Amino acid sequence: MTLTLILTRHAKSSWSDADLDDHSRPLNKRGRASAKAIGRWLAGHGDTPDEVLCSDAARTRETWALVSDKLVGSPKVSYLPELYLADPEDMLAVLKKASTSRVMMVAHNPGSAYMARRLAAEPYPHPKFHHYPTAATSVIEFDAASWADVDWGKGRVVEFVVPRELI
């Protein structure tokens, strides 16, 4: 069986309101455009998730809302405080509990970058893959019966994109 993970770092967030705590920061104009572009890209590739695991931060929730506006279907969405600024080990633990074969995770850096690199059996040949800039998105496939069987170095990165290539 093939399991698919769509791993997205949140889009560019705003720093314009110094009174907001980090968790509450929304996207800025560029971030909103980037999230919409990622949604169009996913829709164009047929990469629609059945389940979404999203950090509960404002910028990840807004990223998902703008991405999902371009997709067909209504996946099950979970907003999870444990994904807020999570390290890759915590992100993998959350992923291992997923219940569908096509999962999207919307999270933060540096966890997203480290997770993508560690899941990949081979490095993806894109200059931005290791840095994983805002709204970077990977599609990673695993030959596994369940998410509980997924582990580091077992994934094939089949697609990777950054918004600057789409806008």
Side-chain angles (χ1 to χ4, degrees):
M1 175 178 191
T2 300
L3 302 177
T4 303
L5 170 64
I6 302 163
L7 179 60
T8 300
R9 179 182 174 195
H10 67 79
K12 188 80 172 161
S13 59
S14 174
W15 290 89
S16 65
D17 186 346
D19 292 331
L20 282 180
D21 66 14
D22 182 70
H23 192 268
S24 302
R25 287 188 298 112
L27 299 182
N28 66 16
K29 182 178 178 182
R30 187 175 114 198
R32 289 188 294 275
S34 295
K36 291 174 187 176
I38 292 297
R40 286 190 299 273
W41 181 81
L42 289 171
H45 285 82
D47 289 322
T48 300
D50 298 316
E51 180 177 4
V52 178
L53 306 170
C54 184
S55 161
D56 67 345
R59 60 191 178 272
T60 50
R61 293 172 70 103
E62 189 177 358
T63 298
W64 165 244
L66 293 167
V67 167
S68 69
D69 190 47
K70 305 298 179 191
L71 302 176
V72 176
S74 299
K76 173 184 151 191
V77 181
S78 300
Y79 298 105
L80 305 168
E82 57 264 41
L83 286 178
Y84 175 63
L85 302 179
D87 63 35
E89 288 78 18
D90 291 336
M91 293 170 71
L92 183 60
V94 168
L95 180 62
K96 285 179 175 270
K97 297 174 188 171
S99 60
T100 65
S101 63
R102 296 186 63 78
V103 175
M104 182 171 189
M105 182 176 281
V106 184
H108 308 266
N109 253 8
S112 294
Y114 293 147
M115 184 168 186
R117 289 194 313 243
R118 291 181 65 189
L119 286 174
E122 296 182 19
Y124 194 76
H126 189 290
K128 299 284 185 181
F129 182 73
H130 283 74
H131 174 64
Y132 230 80
T134 53
T137 299
S138 295
V139 179
I140 306 170
E141 293 182 345
F142 302 88
D143 292 322
S146 76
W147 288 107
D149 299 328
V150 167
D151 212 341
W152 306 126
K154 302 293 183 183
R156 288 182 313 280
V157 182
V158 295
E159 296 177 281
F160 174 78
V161 70
V162 294
R164 287 185 185 259
E165 298 170 348
L166 305 173
I167 297 175

